[in-house]
Amino acid sequence: MNELSKMTSEATKTVKTRFCIISDTHTAELRPSNDKSHAYREPLPSADILLHAGDITMAGYIHEYESMVDMLSKADAELKIVIAGNHDVTLDEPYYEQIGKRKFHRNIGEDLEVVREMWTGAKAKKTGIVYLDEGVRTFTLSNGARFTIYASPYQPEFCNFAFPYRRDEDRFNQEAKNPIPDHPKIDILLTHGPPAGILDQTRHGENVGCEHLLRAVRRCRPRLHCFGHIHEGWGAQRTSWVTDRSVNLPMDRQEVLNNGCAYLNLSKHGEVDLAEGSNVPLAFSEETLFVNASIMDVSYKPVNAPWMVDLDLPMAEQAEALLRNVYLLIGSANSTNANVEPNRATNAMSESDEDSPTPAQPFLAAFDNPWAQQIRSSWEFHGFSDQVEVFLWRWMVTSKRLQDINQRLEYEKMVVLQCNSRQHKLRTEEDQLYANNLGITYSHPEYQRMLARQRQNVNKRWQLEAEARLSQEIGNIVAQELERLRGQIHRMVHARGLGAIKAMIRLRRLISRRRVDRLLEDARSSHSTV
């Protein structure tokens, strides 16, 4: 096999992927970015995948979840996978109804549906957050990586907290409800609790990890196993299943503080310093990297650093086939010999798109330019005459789709520009009218029409206001006259007879009516004059 074939077969199997790993945040907010005394500070390390191994909160209150969702939403990662821990009591519904509500929330309780929606709803998904219950999931990233993860928030019973199981219960092997699959089906394990003997030692020197989980990990042999739960166990350990030997990977504290994370490069892609064991590429199926990512120490102070790890993940079949095609295209264009394997190229082309129809020759003949001719002649030299036509056909279909998208974008852009032009024209006309209103071009016909409308509106508004004021004045005059008349009547009742009172009432009514009529006439005449 020549160098090109080796490059094609080796470089297309995996893709370098960066992880940011945290656990046991217990609602601790990130320290300010200028606080160099803490590695757990803004922002979290940028990564392709962010993993949170549980104990998101202290006691599962809604306001605690809100704070953590907000923090994770701001993290720079394409995919943010989160599981619960024993402190996240409201995410373990059976436990919460039986024990947690009484123990942690004094029977007041939190709305479990609201809690669940915060982690699994559209808002969380929009920011890349994926909450996992116990089980297996497969994801594909934009960099072409495709990986399978097993997640579980359960750990051996601890102080009557959430997600417990008895120590003698095997939750992870074949007898379990959701067993961990055998090698090589799982790339990443994400559990809240550690396996026995691996980064699980408490301050009292006890190893409290799960024996059954360790047995499952030996059987599964994942690339990466992340967990937390035991705050004192923060660190990274590299285990060889071939030699059954484990090595703790030391970190320089000052470097960790300066970088804001503990960094490991175990990828074979890019520069690798083989002088340091922590930078030797990880051998899948032979080794596993264990990471205890607890942010808190045993006193619940956020003194530990997030982990940033570069690992190789398997490439999705479609991305692998596409990359093979690119390598073959470059190699065939530059080669002067026929040592490229035709069968490998044929398989790569068929794997990349099994449903692609074989294009008709007249159709392909239309796709004729110097670039296509060069590709055809180069590939035909190596026996790829059929594959190159399929490649060119796919390339043209993809180009056509891009052209359609560009045309739609151009059309939408044109519509927007037209709308903006109309708005600009209207604004210009309004500005011109405003200038006319200042007397710049008094003879402008539009200005004359605008003045007429303004006069009409002003006159109408003034007329309404004048009539309202007039009605108010008339009402006041009538009220005053009636009050005066009422007072005179009361005084005449005691001084004169009934006949004099009636005559006085008729006289006052006549006087009041004439006075009111005179006032109305004066008001109307003054209104018409204006």
Side-chain angles (χ1 to χ4, degrees), residues 76-87:
D76 182 13
E78 177 183 346
L79 178 63
K80 305 160 188 177
I81 299 177
V82 181
I83 64 171
N86 56 289
H87 277 259

Side-chain angles (χ1 to χ4, degrees), residues 143-163:
N143 66 355
R146 181 179 176 87
F147 67 96
T148 302
I149 183 171
Y150 177 91
S152 176
Y154 292 88
Q155 73 285 312
E157 186 176 8
F158 175 76
C159 296
N160 207 16
F161 275 66
F163 297 103

Side-chain angles (χ1 to χ4, degrees), residues 342-380:
N343 292 335
R344 179 177 294 277
T346 303
N347 293 337
M349 295 303 295
S350 61
E351 290 172 1
S352 64
D353 192 354
E354 297 178 356
D355 299 328
S356 296
T358 303
Q361 292 297 330
F363 175 74
L364 282 174
F367 185 59
D368 194 8
N369 54 52
W371 180 83
Q373 288 295 342
Q374 183 180 0
I375 298 299
R376 280 195 182 94
S377 61
S378 178
W379 284 41
E380 287 173 359

Side-chain angles (χ1 to χ4, degrees), residues 1-105:
M1 184 183 296
N2 61 13
E3 293 299 323
L4 174 64
S5 299
K6 291 180 181 178
M7 178 176 64
T8 303
S9 60
E10 294 176 2
T12 60
K13 291 181 180 179
T14 59
V15 58
K16 182 178 179 179
T17 305
R18 176 159 291 180
F19 293 83
C20 173
I21 310 169
I22 56 176
S23 182
D24 295 76
T25 51
H26 293 288
T27 323
E29 296 182 355
L30 292 168
R31 298 297 180 103
S33 58
N34 58 359
D35 185 358
K36 301 299 182 180
S37 62
H38 289 82
Y40 182 67
R41 61 176 184 263
E42 295 179 337
L44 286 172
S46 298
D48 300 301
I49 306 170
L50 186 149
L51 300 175
H52 194 306
D55 273 3
I56 311 164
T57 65
M58 283 296 292
Y61 287 101
I62 288 180
H63 68 85
E64 291 182 296
Y65 291 124
E66 288 175 344
S67 175
M68 290 293 98
V69 168
D70 181 64
M71 183 190 78
L72 293 176
S73 299
K74 297 175 182 177
D76 182 13
E78 177 183 346
L79 178 63
K80 305 160 188 177
I81 299 177
V82 181
I83 64 171
N86 56 289
H87 277 259
D88 306 316
V89 295
T90 43
L91 286 169
D92 187 356
E93 296 184 14
Y95 164 84
Y96 187 70
E97 294 296 341
Q98 296 175 12
I99 302 173
K101 184 188 295 186
R102 181 180 67 258
K103 179 176 180 178
F104 293 95
H105 299 159

Side-chain angles (χ1 to χ4, degrees), residues 427-444:
R427 285 195 297 270
T428 303
E429 291 177 353
E430 291 174 356
D431 293 342
Q432 183 64 37
L433 291 177
Y434 179 70
N436 294 339
N437 197 18
L438 295 177
I440 297 175
T441 54
Y442 183 82
S443 60
H444 194 284

